[in-house]
Amino acid sequence: MSEQVEFTFGGSGGRGARVRPQRKTAAKRSAGKKKRPADEEGGPAPSDSSTGRKGRGSGGGRERRVTAETMAAQQREISVSEFFTKNRHLLGFDNPAKALLTTVKEAVDNSLDACEEAHILPEIVVEIQQVNETRFRVIVEDNGPGIVKAQIPKIFAKLLYGSKFHRLRQSRGQQGIGISAAGLYGQLTTGKPMVITSRTGKGRPAHRIEVQIDTTKNKPKILADDEVAEWHRPHGTRVEIELTGKHRGGRTGVDAYIEQTVVANPHVAVTYRQPKGDEQVYPHASEDLPREPAEIKPHPHGVELGMLMRMLQDARGQKVKGALSTVFSRVSPATAEKVCKAAGVPSSHTATSLTGEQMEALHTALGETKVMAPPSSCVVPIGEELIMAGLRRRYDAEFFEASTRSPSVYRGNPFVVECGLAYGGSLPADEQAEILRFANRVPLQYQPKACAITEGVYATNWKAYTLQQPKGSLPVAPLAVFIHLASVWVPFTSEAKEAVAQYDEIMREIKFALQDCGRKLASKLRARERMESESKRRGLFERYIPELGQSLGAITGRAPKSVEKLFFAALPQFIRVAEIAEAAAAEHAGDDKLAAKKTGKKTGKKKAAKKSTPVKKASRAASAKKGATKKPAAKIKRAPAKKARSKRAPAKKRPRRKG
Amino acid sequence: MARSKTMDASAKKRRAKETEKKIQRLAERVVAQIKKEANPEVKIPIRALSNVQFNERKRLIELGDREQSREFFNVSMAKKFMQTFLVASAVKEHLLESGKTTSIRDLYYMTKHTIRGSKENTFDDQKESDPVIEDLEVSLDSLREELHLFAAKRGSMVGPMVIVDAGDEIDLSRMGSGGWSIPSITEDYVIQFKKTSAKYILLVEKEAVWHRLNEDKFWRKHSCMLVTGNGQATRGVRRLLQRLAHELKLPLYVLVDNDPWGLYIYSVVKQGSISLAYESMRMAVPDARFIGLRTSDFKKFGLRDDVKIALNKEDEARAKQMLAYPWFAKKQWQKEIKEMLKEKFKMEIEALSNKDISFVTDVYIPQKIKRGDYLV
């Protein structure tokens, strides 16, 4: 919020084109697209050559500027709304259902980013009211730091105005035009202004502002500005947008978005009011804010040519060597020298004076020179415990597992993959597993098939973890798979930011994370299976004992009941259900490591006990004629319960005395 | 006659008492174990290839001394343990104490019921109860008849002989087309041989062939006892064969199909089986003579190609298995089996009828016996 940058829409072509490549694409497209309406609208056609230059124009030569400015004068007539209606899909407003989702998403993302940056534990309220059949009112309210009154109109009613624009830092940050685009969409489809209520602190007044975008100028138009005497929040912001939309359920709906956000953000409390009046309340699952991600300078291995060009131009007055070592992370002056040498660019040149070819050479050299991996402090994973806490909040499952990989690097960008599993309980057993995909804590709801995360789940051999998996399919089990990719730069397959690209490094980390989780789950499933088989054992014996009582009673002339009693008395010695149930309970309580240690010990003991079996048999054979004096020793095999352990010693002594 | 009958009755009673005591001891041992909270067990001699050996001197398959212990508190054995005592108590209560004898099928129904509080049956099939009875036999060291049990009878005999069967005198040369059906218990207290003019015994695997021979009155012409076991010979048939061979010193010829299964039928008659190895000494006839069908008979008797049946996979596997049995270790048997495997075909005895309906009676058997063309 501190570093708010203004991006005027075509007003001055030069500045517009100087946006970072990451954002540039949107800007560039807008620059390219917006030309057409101008032509169509039949404004005086500019000369061909100048149009072409403008289209390409991010180089920023002096001559071009002049041309661009001439152009700009003519372009004033193009309305932002024209641009927006033509390019809705880029911003996630393709259809009414997606528009509703995107609106909620942009508002919530903004709220969460603001809260986290201000170190406030987020409490947000999302409300969707149905105005009529096709019209909805989205209300998102947070307890964030609030917004200074003067900034409110710009932030909400000016496209491409924001704080997350130029930083290289892990944030939810969508396009940067998100919330204003949502407002514009609402305005275009319903004619209603956005209503913003905000207060920056106790004792200060809350402001309620109705604002619209002046679409021809891309400037806010304030319709109403009141001070609200009573507002229930000491600080925070409330955004209301009315729009044409469609509320639907399923994977791509708002409901799913809220549910998944809750899973990936356990520190967030959400109240969600659905159109039909249902209210879902998710309290905080964690009271700790995630660590604040460190902001880093770009890493030379991740940089793209356009970005490099812009960086060098910004480094006014610096030599190439100096510029490289200051704008990049992990590039020392010595490394910069090496890069220059490899590129054949004199390191003492002024950074701004390089030719296109020189910059290209420099770009290649940067990619090829060995540079330390960027610091991983810039990536903040959710963490295993919080993933499980999040999953618990969402699923009524039997087992929860999570595993967070250590940071890794793809193309110079540090990233962390983490994975969580929820298994059993009320999850449907005969359906394919549910996949929850996240990038920087934001749910990815569209294009699952194109996503590296989905691919990773498909490619994992779930059969190894005792789950069913038909060939080439997702596992069929009561399972939900959670995967989160945290990175300074998430490589999306497209501008729409719907699917993660399949980089080898990322695929590998996804695979490892899933395998790790799968192993943990499998060990629990096997333990449960053992427990079940123990109770089955018990049932089996209990069923046959009365039969044996009858038979043995009839043969020996005893009362069947008395023989039965003898068997029931001995039964506990041969069952270990209680103990396993204990271990499972301990694990369930989240005391995972301890439980694992315990079971480890136990299995060890079991093995030891089993090893003693041959000895037992031998002694049994030896004492076969002496009768059953030595037999009590046999108990040990099936009786690791405490009771049996305490009996072991006397049991061993007994035959010795007799022998 | 009457005197011997009463003697039999009292002997039977005495034997029943003895078996009762054995069952009682078995049960008492289990009760003693459970009182000590130990896992109750029953020792059962293992009836498998791993625990049989071929006694070269006696030429018998004998049971080894390895035992398995059937424990109650063991998921895989609990049911069998329960079944073992279910059978034991039924035998003691309903058969031994009342002096009655019944079939193993009957016993299966006597002991089959639904276990209280469940949908599980004590036995689901007679195939389950039969091995339990055999287990009980070996662990008690009692014979089936001592448990007052018998299997369904199978097999027939005709020939120039008069016998006494349960007190009734029967002339086996006047049995019509069906023959005398061999009971499942053929011990000397049930069957006694009176007089005979037979010079040898002929056992044929198949009832159809037996019918052919009986219709042709082969046994009259050649003075022999004509027996069939309808496939694998039952214990009753085998016991009878052994008694005929030992008590009357008659040579035994065996005619079976030319396939591994036929050969094994001969082998069981000759030296006993794996699963009933503990009864071999009472049943085996080590001198039994194998008169075919042999693979070489195909050429020897000029049979036509259409009687050949190709060996299937199971046949081959069984033949190879048999090659490894110590009781087929002798050269002539190895050669016989290997030849079958090499030629890759089998033949049924009926193949001989392909030449002429009475070829087996008129040519094949007389020629084999006369020329001493047999394997031992």
Side-chain angles (χ1 to χ4, degrees):
Chain A
M1 294 254 161
S2 50
E3 193 199 332
Q4 286 167 350
V5 171
E6 191 165 339
F7 170 42
T8 7
F9 213 80
S12 70
R15 283 179 75 191
R18 266 167 46 195
V19 175
R20 287 182 177 219
Q22 175 183 4
R23 311 291 175 187
K24 184 194 70 189
T25 24
K28 199 173 170 184
R29 271 188 214 190
S30 59
K33 294 254 172 164
K34 111 190 125 201
K35 240 170 22 210
R36 224 170 294 140
D39 296 346
E40 283 159 12
E41 274 164 25
S47 74
D48 277 346
S49 63
S50 63
T51 320
R53 273 193 210 151
K54 175 63 186 82
R56 267 187 256 118
S58 55
R62 186 151 295 277
E63 193 196 18
R64 276 179 197 170
R65 257 177 197 234
V66 177
T67 325
E69 254 143 28
T70 333
M71 282 293 302
Q74 290 154 347
Q75 284 162 353
R76 288 260 161 81
E77 286 160 34
I78 307 156
S79 69
V80 175
S81 72
E82 253 308 322
F83 157 71
F84 181 78
T85 16
K86 289 226 168 193
N87 295 288
R88 285 176 176 187
H89 60 281
L90 289 181
L91 307 174
F93 295 90
D94 323 22
N95 57 57
K98 205 167 171 186
L100 185 68
L101 172 68
T102 307
T103 304
V104 171
K105 206 167 167 171
E106 294 297 348
V108 170
D109 284 351
N110 276 2
S111 286
L112 295 182
D113 276 343
C115 287
E116 281 165 22
E117 213 168 322
H119 300 277
I120 297 167
L121 206 57
E123 280 168 27
I124 61 169
V125 179
V126 177
E127 187 172 343
I128 298 175
Q129 297 169 351
Q130 186 149 15
V131 180
N132 61 37
E133 202 159 306
T134 54
R135 200 176 276 195
F136 291 86
R137 192 169 182 77
V138 171
I139 302 165
V140 176
E141 193 178 298
D142 65 52
N143 63 338
I147 303 166
V148 176
K149 189 193 159 199
Q151 291 290 350
I152 293 175
K154 285 190 203 160
I155 287 176
F156 290 96
K158 193 174 172 71
L159 289 174
L160 299 170
Y161 186 93
S163 61
K164 302 162 206 165
F165 220 53
H166 283 153
R167 301 180 310 188
L168 199 45
R169 172 180 155 153
Q170 180 188 337
S171 68
R172 292 177 179 78
Q174 286 283 94
Q175 311 280 8
I177 28 177
I179 190 66
S180 43
L184 179 56
Y185 176 82
Q187 185 182 323
L188 287 173
T189 53
T190 68
K192 294 280 171 83
M194 277 199 260
V195 182
I196 318 296
T197 312
S198 187
R199 170 142 70 177
T200 53
K202 244 184 187 163
R204 287 178 210 159
H207 294 278
R208 183 180 177 282
I209 295 177
E210 284 183 27
V211 68
Q212 265 189 342
I213 301 177
D214 180 340
T215 50
T216 49
K217 291 180 189 144
N218 185 26
K219 270 190 180 162
K221 198 162 92 192
I222 297 163
L223 302 183
D225 179 357
D226 309 310
E227 268 190 24
V228 185
E230 292 289 315
W231 198 47
H232 65 106
R233 290 199 186 267
H235 53 81
T237 305
R238 175 187 169 98
V239 181
E240 294 171 50
I241 298 172
E242 201 169 315
L243 69 152
T244 295
K246 194 175 171 188
H247 183 79
R248 70 176 178 207
R251 177 174 57 81
T252 55
V254 176
D255 302 1
Y257 167 75
I258 298 286
E259 279 171 4
Q260 295 187 18
T261 302
V262 159
V263 174
N265 299 276
H267 62 290
V268 177
V270 181
T271 305
Y272 174 44
R273 299 196 189 102
Q274 285 167 295
K276 283 179 189 129
D278 299 337
E279 184 178 277
Q280 283 160 20
V281 179
Y282 300 94
H284 295 287
S286 156
E287 299 292 325
D288 301 319
L289 275 168
R291 175 169 62 82
E292 199 178 352
E295 195 175 332
I296 57 158
K297 288 186 261 180
H299 191 271
H301 284 176
V303 78
E304 280 168 1
L305 181 59
M307 189 173 170
L308 174 67
M309 287 171 166
R310 202 187 69 80
M311 289 163 107
L312 289 175
Q313 277 195 345
D314 275 356
R316 261 172 221 145
Q318 274 186 306
K319 304 263 188 281
V320 176
K321 180 174 154 186
L324 288 180
S325 57
T326 46
V327 298
F328 285 115
S329 71
R330 305 294 204 205
V331 176
S332 63
T335 318
E337 185 71 52
K338 235 190 265 173
V339 172
C340 288
K341 210 173 238 171
V345 177
S347 62
S348 56
H349 259 51
T350 320
T352 43
S353 71
L354 293 183
T355 65
E357 284 89 42
Q358 281 176 317
M359 283 204 248
E360 231 168 283
L362 211 54
H363 179 247
T364 318
L366 272 174
E368 284 165 358
T369 312
K370 267 195 184 171
V371 184
M372 256 174 81
S376 53
S377 60
C378 56
V379 193
V380 182
I382 301 170
E384 294 177 2
E385 279 191 17
L386 289 183
I387 290 176
M388 286 198 274
L391 287 170
R392 278 207 181 94
R393 198 148 66 138
R394 164 78 176 78
Y395 295 106
D396 173 25
E398 198 177 348
F399 297 122
F400 296 94
E401 287 300 343
S403 86
T404 299
R405 302 280 307 159
S406 45
S408 182
V409 176
Y410 83 93
R411 262 193 30 202
N413 298 301
F415 70 98
V416 169
V417 170
E418 44 193 348
C419 147
L421 299 177
Y423 181 91
S426 59
L427 283 156
D430 49 0
E431 283 173 26
Q432 294 197 340
E434 190 180 338
I435 303 177
L436 308 178
R437 301 177 289 139
F438 299 89
N440 288 348
R441 292 174 186 253
V442 177
L444 305 179
Q445 286 170 278
Y446 282 89
Q447 291 211 25
K449 288 276 157 68
C451 188
I453 291 175
T454 317
E455 180 57 31
V457 180
Y458 272 97
T460 303
N461 178 16
W462 294 93
K463 282 182 187 164
Y465 313 122
T466 72
L467 302 183
Q468 277 184 22
Q469 185 181 24
K471 233 180 192 166
S473 161
L474 291 174
V476 176
L479 180 73
V481 183
F482 168 105
I483 297 176
H484 177 221
L485 172 69
S487 178
V488 171
W489 177 306
V490 177
F492 288 107
T493 53
S494 70
E495 284 303 306
K497 304 208 169 189
E498 287 166 342
V500 175
Q502 300 189 9
Y503 280 99
D504 286 349
E505 294 89 342
I506 293 177
M507 290 302 295
R508 196 177 55 228
E509 285 297 312
I510 290 174
K511 192 176 103 189
F512 287 160
L514 285 169
Q515 285 176 344
D516 192 39
C517 256
R519 274 193 295 272
K520 289 188 206 167
L521 177 67
S523 83
K524 278 190 187 172
L525 290 180
R526 290 195 186 104
R528 187 186 64 172
E529 214 167 88
R530 277 200 301 277
M531 193 170 88
E532 272 174 2
S533 77
E534 276 307 288
S535 68
K536 254 189 210 157
R537 269 165 59 95
R538 186 191 199 97
L540 185 91
F541 298 142
E542 281 174 347
R543 209 156 57 237
Y544 297 153
I545 286 175
E547 289 290 333
L548 263 177
Q550 280 290 339
S551 307
L552 290 171
I555 297 171
T556 62
R558 285 179 171 84
K561 281 280 166 206
S562 73
V563 181
E564 248 178 66
K565 242 185 209 167
L566 291 173
F567 273 90
F568 277 119
L571 180 63
Q573 306 279 343
F574 301 94
I575 297 291
R576 45 169 205 267
V577 166
E579 186 198 23
I580 288 177
E582 247 170 58
E587 269 181 63
H588 213 74
D591 199 4
D592 278 6
K593 280 180 185 168
L594 205 74
K597 267 185 203 162
K598 266 191 201 168
T599 37
K601 267 186 202 166
K602 270 165 200 164
T603 45
K605 260 173 199 160
K606 265 176 228 155
K607 270 181 198 161
K610 273 193 179 159
K611 269 180 196 163
S612 74
T613 329
V615 181
K616 176 199 81 183
K617 274 193 177 160
S619 71
R620 202 188 273 169
S623 66
K625 290 213 170 151
K626 282 184 217 159
T629 37
K630 269 198 177 174
K631 298 269 162 69
K635 262 184 272 179
I636 299 160
K637 180 173 145 197
R638 291 285 182 201
K642 273 177 194 164
K643 200 177 150 199
R645 241 179 264 148
S646 61
K647 276 189 178 176
R648 197 188 289 176
K652 269 187 180 169
K653 272 175 200 164
R654 216 182 298 150
R656 255 183 236 149
R657 252 181 277 145
K658 287 201 176 176
Chain B
M1 218 48 213
R3 206 175 141 248
S4 85
K5 238 184 175 176
T6 50
M7 255 183 68
D8 281 351
S10 74
K12 203 174 162 187
K13 228 178 198 171
R14 207 179 53 243
R15 268 200 304 273
K17 262 270 158 316
E18 239 168 67
T19 315
E20 270 178 56
K21 268 185 198 154
K22 282 182 183 172
I23 292 176
Q24 214 160 339
R25 274 202 295 276
L26 196 72
E28 286 291 355
R29 210 151 53 222
V30 166
V31 173
Q33 284 164 348
I34 197 69
K35 271 185 178 166
K36 293 198 180 89
E37 296 194 358
N39 199 349
E41 52 168 9
V42 178
K43 299 269 189 212
I44 300 170
I46 296 169
R47 294 176 297 117
L49 181 61
S50 62
N51 192 36
V52 296
Q53 61 231 16
F54 184 58
N55 186 322
E56 297 273 357
R57 195 176 51 79
K58 292 185 193 158
R59 292 180 293 161
L60 293 177
I61 297 172
E62 288 181 335
L63 198 63
D65 48 15
R66 284 182 39 217
E67 290 177 327
Q68 80 187 81
S69 111
R70 178 167 294 171
E71 299 170 345
F72 177 63
F73 288 115
N74 181 322
V75 176
S76 57
M77 303 181 191
K79 188 165 190 183
K80 279 216 163 158
F81 188 92
M82 178 271 288
Q83 290 170 336
T84 309
F85 282 96
L86 188 62
V87 167
S89 94
V91 164
K92 180 171 180 278
E93 246 187 308
H94 303 299
L95 303 180
L96 297 174
E97 284 173 6
S98 62
K100 285 177 187 157
T101 306
T102 193
S103 70
I104 54 177
R105 180 151 189 83
D106 213 16
L107 186 79
Y108 159 63
Y109 278 113
M110 282 162 62
T111 52
K112 176 182 180 169
H113 59 256
T114 306
I115 297 169
R116 209 181 342 137
S118 77
K119 284 177 187 165
E120 194 183 348
N121 286 334
T122 48
F123 291 107
D124 282 322
D125 197 307
Q126 199 189 331
K127 277 183 203 139
E128 261 185 278
S129 76
D130 287 357
V132 169
I133 294 168
E134 285 174 8
D135 288 342
L136 198 62
E137 285 175 46
V138 285
S139 52
L140 291 174
D141 195 19
S142 300
L143 298 173
R144 182 179 286 177
E145 42 272 30
E146 290 175 326
L147 299 178
H148 286 205
L149 287 172
F150 57 82
K153 64 181 179 206
R154 206 169 65 200
S156 317
M157 179 159 85
V158 284
M161 179 181 286
V162 176
I163 60 164
V164 175
D165 177 2
D168 299 333
E169 200 167 284
I170 296 170
D171 184 350
L172 296 185
S173 62
R174 302 167 65 83
M175 299 307 298
S177 62
W180 174 64
S181 63
I182 303 168
S184 62
I185 297 176
T186 48
E187 293 301 324
D188 55 2
Y189 57 84
V190 182
I191 311 276
Q192 295 98 37
F193 309 127
K194 278 287 168 194
K195 54 177 185 193
T196 184
S197 60
K199 288 188 267 197
Y200 62 89
I201 315 155
L202 176 62
L203 172 71
V204 296
E205 174 186 348
K206 289 187 157 162
E207 202 189 6
V209 180
W210 182 90
H211 268 288
R212 167 94 270 111
L213 292 165
N214 188 26
E215 200 173 272
D216 291 352
K217 292 288 173 258
F218 177 89
W219 51 270
R220 182 164 287 155
K221 207 153 131 199
H222 296 275
S223 282
C224 70
M225 298 308 298
L226 182 60
V227 186
T228 179
N230 291 5
Q232 190 62 265
T234 61
R235 292 201 225 187
V237 172
R238 287 168 57 198
R239 176 69 181 140
L240 183 72
L241 289 173
Q242 194 200 44
R243 288 188 59 215
L244 288 169
H246 286 189
E247 291 170 28
L248 306 177
K249 308 266 181 267
L250 298 176
L252 168 64
Y253 294 93
V254 181
L255 178 62
V256 292
D257 281 347
N258 170 39
D259 62 28
W261 320 96
L263 191 56
Y264 205 71
I265 287 173
Y266 162 74
S267 167
V268 167
V269 167
K270 180 181 155 87
Q271 50 237 337
S273 70
I274 296 170
S275 64
L276 296 179
Y278 58 98
E279 296 222 78
S280 293
M281 348 106 63
R282 301 187 330 108
M283 295 184 179
V285 187
D287 289 320
R289 297 163 178 182
F290 175 72
I291 54 168
L293 236 44
R294 296 173 62 182
T295 309
S296 56
D297 289 334
F298 178 77
K299 274 187 191 147
K300 189 179 283 172
F301 292 95
L303 299 178
R304 288 213 311 263
D305 263 352
D306 41 8
V307 302
K308 282 183 180 176
I309 304 169
L311 289 183
N312 60 32
K313 266 188 192 151
E314 281 167 29
D315 296 331
E316 282 180 23
R318 181 69 181 139
K320 279 172 189 161
Q321 208 176 16
M322 282 162 57
L323 276 175
Y325 289 155
W327 47 96
F328 283 112
K330 280 201 177 151
K331 223 165 65 190
Q332 69 269 29
W333 295 118
Q334 290 284 317
K335 199 178 142 206
E336 188 66 29
I337 298 171
K338 279 176 183 161
E339 199 179 342
M340 188 190 297
L341 280 169
K342 196 184 123 208
E343 297 293 335
K344 288 195 167 79
F345 71 84
K346 55 184 181 183
M347 293 182 292
E348 293 186 288
I349 310 172
E350 287 91 328
L352 298 171
S353 308
N354 189 276
K355 279 189 96 74
D356 180 274
I357 188 159
S358 288
F359 181 75
V360 66
T361 2
D362 296 344
V363 184
Y364 185 86
I365 300 171
Q367 183 182 321
K368 283 256 173 177
I369 292 174
K370 205 170 138 199
R371 296 189 184 166
D373 179 13
Y374 54 78
L375 292 174
V376 176

